[in-house]
Amino acid sequence: MPLRPPVQDEASIRALSIARYRQRAAAYDSTCGPTWPIRERCVAALQLQPGESVLDVGCGTGLSFELLRDGVGPGGRVVGFDQSPEMLGQARQRVARAGWANVEVVEEAAQGLALDERFDALFFHYTHDILQSPTAVAALLARAKPGARVAIAGVKAFPWYLAWLNPWVYAKNRAYNGSPGGLKAPWRHIAGRLDGFRREDTQWGMGYLASGRVRPDAPGMAA
Ligand SMILES: C[S@@+](CC[C@H](N)C(=O)[O-])C[C@H]1O[C@@H](n2cnc3c(N)ncnc32)[C@H](O)[C@@H]1O
């Protein structure tokens, strides 16, 4: 049977992702243990300060909320958004159970994010589809204060000496994402819009951790 060609348009990519997370939401948290240290390092890279606001991009079930909230303190603000109703259902339950008054959950697609607020920090933890969309990246940077800190963690292709494993990385990524390609440089649409962009490999080269600051002249920034 021929392989289906990759889906190209934004609406179809989003629909595929929503369908995948409808299947995955119930068991999602139980699969995240091995990457917990990466999550902690990604939050630490944001260098959150008490009283700041942070946007949890594609927050899923809200697994990062507690760490982010610890960073901004009770006087700060955490806003998580996601397009998957099933993932967000769990995020809402998490917030209600914990009674966090300063954590807000919004059901929206990154491409059309219509929040009024601008954030001190943007957190991207395993948000491959979002980073593959130049429209989504532009919409998110428009929600950042000039100089806002950005931290990103995700999946990438192995370096050349382990390249024979990359079909497996692609297949694994396709199980979660509507646009699983672009694994050589998943950060390529955002890196040039950040000052001081730094990146390092994690997980023997099949993961990465990146950070930087939103350039004051990035599209959507106030002059
Ligand atoms: C691998 S999960 C990561 C969830 C969370 N960041 C974490 O680290 O546990 C990717 C999330 O991105 C969301 N997502 C994918 N494309 C999106 C889009 N275009 N807009 C908003 N959310 C999106 C999915 O619904 C899913 O919850």
PDB file of all heavy atoms in Angstrom, residues 171-193:
ATOM      1  N   ALA A 171       8.646   8.108  12.667  1.00  0.00           N
ATOM      2  CA  ALA A 171       7.416   7.340  12.927  1.00  0.00           C
ATOM      3  C   ALA A 171       6.853   7.693  14.304  1.00  0.00           C
ATOM      4  O   ALA A 171       5.636   7.859  14.480  1.00  0.00           O
ATOM      5  CB  ALA A 171       7.708   5.846  12.835  1.00  0.00           C
ATOM      6  N   LYS A 172       7.748   7.833  15.272  1.00  0.00           N
ATOM      7  CA  LYS A 172       7.321   8.188  16.637  1.00  0.00           C
ATOM      8  C   LYS A 172       6.674   9.587  16.636  1.00  0.00           C
ATOM      9  O   LYS A 172       5.637   9.806  17.234  1.00  0.00           O
ATOM     10  CB  LYS A 172       8.570   8.188  17.522  1.00  0.00           C
ATOM     11  CG  LYS A 172       8.328   7.914  18.974  1.00  0.00           C
ATOM     12  CD  LYS A 172       9.683   7.609  19.640  1.00  0.00           C
ATOM     13  CE  LYS A 172       9.749   8.094  21.059  1.00  0.00           C
ATOM     14  NZ  LYS A 172       8.717   7.601  21.930  1.00  0.00           N
ATOM     15  N   ASN A 173       7.308  10.501  15.898  1.00  0.00           N
ATOM     16  CA  ASN A 173       6.787  11.876  15.842  1.00  0.00           C
ATOM     17  C   ASN A 173       5.448  11.927  15.114  1.00  0.00           C
ATOM     18  O   ASN A 173       4.557  12.692  15.480  1.00  0.00           O
ATOM     19  CB  ASN A 173       7.810  12.777  15.137  1.00  0.00           C
ATOM     20  CG  ASN A 173       7.744  14.205  15.616  1.00  0.00           C
ATOM     21  OD1 ASN A 173       7.499  14.447  16.794  1.00  0.00           O
ATOM     22  ND2 ASN A 173       7.951  15.153  14.729  1.00  0.00           N
ATOM     23  N   ARG A 174       5.295  11.069  14.093  1.00  0.00           N
ATOM     24  CA  ARG A 174       4.055  11.064  13.317  1.00  0.00           C
ATOM     25  C   ARG A 174       2.871  10.558  14.149  1.00  0.00           C
ATOM     26  O   ARG A 174       1.719  10.917  13.893  1.00  0.00           O
ATOM     27  CB  ARG A 174       4.223  10.197  12.073  1.00  0.00           C
ATOM     28  CG  ARG A 174       3.117  10.447  11.061  1.00  0.00           C
ATOM     29  CD  ARG A 174       3.368   9.791   9.761  1.00  0.00           C
ATOM     30  NE  ARG A 174       3.374   8.338   9.904  1.00  0.00           N
ATOM     31  CZ  ARG A 174       3.255   7.506   8.889  1.00  0.00           C
ATOM     32  NH1 ARG A 174       3.165   7.979   7.659  1.00  0.00           N
ATOM     33  NH2 ARG A 174       3.269   6.205   9.074  1.00  0.00           N
ATOM     34  N   ALA A 175       3.166   9.745  15.153  1.00  0.00           N
ATOM     35  CA  ALA A 175       2.078   9.228  15.980  1.00  0.00           C
ATOM     36  C   ALA A 175       1.414  10.335  16.807  1.00  0.00           C
ATOM     37  O   ALA A 175       0.299  10.173  17.301  1.00  0.00           O
ATOM     38  CB  ALA A 175       2.615   8.136  16.896  1.00  0.00           C
ATOM     39  N   TYR A 176       2.113  11.468  16.955  1.00  0.00           N
ATOM     40  CA  TYR A 176       1.574  12.556  17.783  1.00  0.00           C
ATOM     41  C   TYR A 176       1.228  13.813  16.974  1.00  0.00           C
ATOM     42  O   TYR A 176       0.502  14.668  17.469  1.00  0.00           O
ATOM     43  CB  TYR A 176       2.608  12.978  18.836  1.00  0.00           C
ATOM     44  CG  TYR A 176       2.778  11.984  19.966  1.00  0.00           C
ATOM     45  CD1 TYR A 176       3.623  10.898  19.842  1.00  0.00           C
ATOM     46  CD2 TYR A 176       2.065  12.140  21.162  1.00  0.00           C
ATOM     47  CE1 TYR A 176       3.788   9.980  20.869  1.00  0.00           C
ATOM     48  CE2 TYR A 176       2.220  11.229  22.202  1.00  0.00           C
ATOM     49  CZ  TYR A 176       3.086  10.154  22.048  1.00  0.00           C
ATOM     50  OH  TYR A 176       3.229   9.256  23.076  1.00  0.00           O
ATOM     51  N   ASN A 177       1.831  13.972  15.793  1.00  0.00           N
ATOM     52  CA  ASN A 177       1.762  15.268  15.105  1.00  0.00           C
ATOM     53  C   ASN A 177       1.147  15.181  13.725  1.00  0.00           C
ATOM     54  O   ASN A 177       1.293  14.172  13.031  1.00  0.00           O
ATOM     55  CB  ASN A 177       3.179  15.852  14.984  1.00  0.00           C
ATOM     56  CG  ASN A 177       3.737  16.244  16.336  1.00  0.00           C
ATOM     57  OD1 ASN A 177       3.289  17.208  16.940  1.00  0.00           O
ATOM     58  ND2 ASN A 177       4.686  15.467  16.830  1.00  0.00           N
ATOM     59  N   GLY A 178       0.535  16.277  13.296  1.00  0.00           N
ATOM     60  CA  GLY A 178      -0.016  16.366  11.945  1.00  0.00           C
ATOM     61  C   GLY A 178       1.039  16.743  10.922  1.00  0.00           C
ATOM     62  O   GLY A 178       0.874  16.510   9.726  1.00  0.00           O
ATOM     63  N   SER A 179       2.135  17.381  11.380  1.00  0.00           N
ATOM     64  CA  SER A 179       3.224  17.765  10.450  1.00  0.00           C
ATOM     65  C   SER A 179       4.556  17.260  11.026  1.00  0.00           C
ATOM     66  O   SER A 179       5.339  18.033  11.562  1.00  0.00           O
ATOM     67  CB  SER A 179       3.262  19.285  10.266  1.00  0.00           C
ATOM     68  OG  SER A 179       3.330  19.935  11.539  1.00  0.00           O
ATOM     69  N   PRO A 180       4.766  15.948  10.942  1.00  0.00           N
ATOM     70  CA  PRO A 180       5.906  15.344  11.660  1.00  0.00           C
ATOM     71  C   PRO A 180       7.268  15.608  11.043  1.00  0.00           C
ATOM     72  O   PRO A 180       8.289  15.266  11.661  1.00  0.00           O
ATOM     73  CB  PRO A 180       5.577  13.853  11.608  1.00  0.00           C
ATOM     74  CG  PRO A 180       4.714  13.686  10.411  1.00  0.00           C
ATOM     75  CD  PRO A 180       3.931  14.943  10.263  1.00  0.00           C
ATOM     76  N   GLY A 181       7.337  16.228   9.862  1.00  0.00           N
ATOM     77  CA  GLY A 181       8.640  16.457   9.217  1.00  0.00           C
ATOM     78  C   GLY A 181       9.382  17.629   9.856  1.00  0.00           C
ATOM     79  O   GLY A 181       9.046  18.090  10.947  1.00  0.00           O
ATOM     80  N   GLY A 182      10.415  18.082   9.147  1.00  0.00           N
ATOM     81  CA  GLY A 182      11.201  19.234   9.634  1.00  0.00           C
ATOM     82  C   GLY A 182      12.067  18.886  10.816  1.00  0.00           C
ATOM     83  O   GLY A 182      12.488  19.769  11.577  1.00  0.00           O
ATOM     84  N   LEU A 183      12.385  17.607  10.981  1.00  0.00           N
ATOM     85  CA  LEU A 183      13.088  17.180  12.194  1.00  0.00           C
ATOM     86  C   LEU A 183      14.573  17.545  12.211  1.00  0.00           C
ATOM     87  O   LEU A 183      15.210  17.443  13.260  1.00  0.00           O
ATOM     88  CB  LEU A 183      12.915  15.667  12.397  1.00  0.00           C
ATOM     89  CG  LEU A 183      11.533  15.273  12.936  1.00  0.00           C
ATOM     90  CD1 LEU A 183      11.272  13.772  12.735  1.00  0.00           C
ATOM     91  CD2 LEU A 183      11.419  15.625  14.412  1.00  0.00           C
ATOM     92  N   LYS A 184      15.112  17.953  11.056  1.00  0.00           N
ATOM     93  CA  LYS A 184      16.536  18.353  11.081  1.00  0.00           C
ATOM     94  C   LYS A 184      16.729  19.639  11.864  1.00  0.00           C
ATOM     95  O   LYS A 184      17.753  19.847  12.493  1.00  0.00           O
ATOM     96  CB  LYS A 184      17.065  18.528   9.650  1.00  0.00           C
ATOM     97  CG  LYS A 184      17.437  17.217   9.027  1.00  0.00           C
ATOM     98  CD  LYS A 184      18.260  17.421   7.779  1.00  0.00           C
ATOM     99  CE  LYS A 184      18.657  16.057   7.238  1.00  0.00           C
ATOM    100  NZ  LYS A 184      18.966  16.108   5.817  1.00  0.00           N
ATOM    101  N   ALA A 185      15.755  20.527  11.785  1.00  0.00           N
ATOM    102  CA  ALA A 185      15.855  21.807  12.523  1.00  0.00           C
ATOM    103  C   ALA A 185      14.446  22.280  12.879  1.00  0.00           C
ATOM    104  O   ALA A 185      13.951  23.261  12.318  1.00  0.00           O
ATOM    105  CB  ALA A 185      16.579  22.847  11.667  1.00  0.00           C
ATOM    106  N   PRO A 186      13.791  21.618  13.827  1.00  0.00           N
ATOM    107  CA  PRO A 186      12.393  21.985  14.143  1.00  0.00           C
ATOM    108  C   PRO A 186      12.246  23.418  14.637  1.00  0.00           C
ATOM    109  O   PRO A 186      11.150  23.955  14.642  1.00  0.00           O
ATOM    110  CB  PRO A 186      12.012  20.999  15.263  1.00  0.00           C
ATOM    111  CG  PRO A 186      13.050  19.938  15.264  1.00  0.00           C
ATOM    112  CD  PRO A 186      14.284  20.503  14.639  1.00  0.00           C
ATOM    113  N   TRP A 187      13.327  24.042  15.045  1.00  0.00           N
ATOM    114  CA  TRP A 187      13.332  25.403  15.591  1.00  0.00           C
ATOM    115  C   TRP A 187      13.488  26.467  14.499  1.00  0.00           C
ATOM    116  O   TRP A 187      13.543  27.645  14.786  1.00  0.00           O
ATOM    117  CB  TRP A 187      14.498  25.540  16.581  1.00  0.00           C
ATOM    118  CG  TRP A 187      15.786  25.065  15.953  1.00  0.00           C
ATOM    119  CD1 TRP A 187      16.610  25.775  15.125  1.00  0.00           C
ATOM    120  CD2 TRP A 187      16.356  23.752  16.041  1.00  0.00           C
ATOM    121  NE1 TRP A 187      17.646  24.984  14.684  1.00  0.00           N
ATOM    122  CE2 TRP A 187      17.514  23.743  15.235  1.00  0.00           C
ATOM    123  CE3 TRP A 187      15.995  22.577  16.712  1.00  0.00           C
ATOM    124  CZ2 TRP A 187      18.320  22.601  15.096  1.00  0.00           C
ATOM    125  CZ3 TRP A 187      16.792  21.463  16.568  1.00  0.00           C
ATOM    126  CH2 TRP A 187      17.947  21.477  15.781  1.00  0.00           C
ATOM    127  N   ARG A 188      13.549  26.052  13.212  1.00  0.00           N
ATOM    128  CA  ARG A 188      14.006  26.977  12.160  1.00  0.00           C
ATOM    129  C   ARG A 188      13.111  28.199  11.968  1.00  0.00           C
ATOM    130  O   ARG A 188      13.597  29.233  11.518  1.00  0.00           O
ATOM    131  CB  ARG A 188      14.207  26.235  10.828  1.00  0.00           C
ATOM    132  CG  ARG A 188      12.911  25.745  10.213  1.00  0.00           C
ATOM    133  CD  ARG A 188      13.161  24.687   9.159  1.00  0.00           C
ATOM    134  NE  ARG A 188      11.917  24.169   8.629  1.00  0.00           N
ATOM    135  CZ  ARG A 188      11.106  23.353   9.300  1.00  0.00           C
ATOM    136  NH1 ARG A 188      11.396  22.959  10.518  1.00  0.00           N
ATOM    137  NH2 ARG A 188       9.981  22.931   8.743  1.00  0.00           N
ATOM    138  N   HIS A 189      11.800  28.099  12.271  1.00  0.00           N
ATOM    139  CA  HIS A 189      10.933  29.269  12.056  1.00  0.00           C
ATOM    140  C   HIS A 189      11.024  30.284  13.187  1.00  0.00           C
ATOM    141  O   HIS A 189      10.536  31.396  13.048  1.00  0.00           O
ATOM    142  CB  HIS A 189       9.468  28.833  11.891  1.00  0.00           C
ATOM    143  CG  HIS A 189       9.251  27.987  10.683  1.00  0.00           C
ATOM    144  ND1 HIS A 189       9.685  28.347   9.425  1.00  0.00           N
ATOM    145  CD2 HIS A 189       8.651  26.764  10.539  1.00  0.00           C
ATOM    146  CE1 HIS A 189       9.365  27.404   8.552  1.00  0.00           C
ATOM    147  NE2 HIS A 189       8.747  26.427   9.207  1.00  0.00           N
ATOM    148  N   ILE A 190      11.603  29.897  14.314  1.00  0.00           N
ATOM    149  CA  ILE A 190      11.630  30.815  15.460  1.00  0.00           C
ATOM    150  C   ILE A 190      13.045  31.310  15.772  1.00  0.00           C
ATOM    151  O   ILE A 190      13.216  32.430  16.278  1.00  0.00           O
ATOM    152  CB  ILE A 190      10.963  30.163  16.710  1.00  0.00           C
ATOM    153  CG1 ILE A 190      10.631  31.231  17.757  1.00  0.00           C
ATOM    154  CG2 ILE A 190      11.814  29.058  17.325  1.00  0.00           C
ATOM    155  CD1 ILE A 190       9.703  30.760  18.865  1.00  0.00           C
ATOM    156  N   ALA A 191      14.059  30.516  15.441  1.00  0.00           N
ATOM    157  CA  ALA A 191      15.432  30.838  15.894  1.00  0.00           C
ATOM    158  C   ALA A 191      15.853  32.240  15.463  1.00  0.00           C
ATOM    159  O   ALA A 191      16.413  33.003  16.263  1.00  0.00           O
ATOM    160  CB  ALA A 191      16.404  29.797  15.362  1.00  0.00           C
ATOM    161  N   GLY A 192      15.570  32.616  14.205  1.00  0.00           N
ATOM    162  CA  GLY A 192      16.020  33.899  13.673  1.00  0.00           C
ATOM    163  C   GLY A 192      15.295  35.084  14.286  1.00  0.00           C
ATOM    164  O   GLY A 192      15.689  36.232  14.066  1.00  0.00           O
ATOM    165  N   ARG A 193      14.222  34.813  15.009  1.00  0.00           N
ATOM    166  CA  ARG A 193      13.457  35.913  15.628  1.00  0.00           C
ATOM    167  C   ARG A 193      13.819  36.112  17.089  1.00  0.00           C
ATOM    168  O   ARG A 193      13.206  36.903  17.784  1.00  0.00           O
ATOM    169  CB  ARG A 193      11.969  35.620  15.512  1.00  0.00           C
ATOM    170  CG  ARG A 193      11.565  35.598  14.049  1.00  0.00           C
ATOM    171  CD  ARG A 193      10.187  35.045  13.923  1.00  0.00           C
ATOM    172  NE  ARG A 193       9.828  34.992  12.518  1.00  0.00           N
ATOM    173  CZ  ARG A 193       8.610  35.207  12.053  1.00  0.00           C
ATOM    174  NH1 ARG A 193       7.641  35.502  12.880  1.00  0.00           N
ATOM    175  NH2 ARG A 193       8.377  35.122  10.774  1.00  0.00           N
TER     176      ARG A 193
END
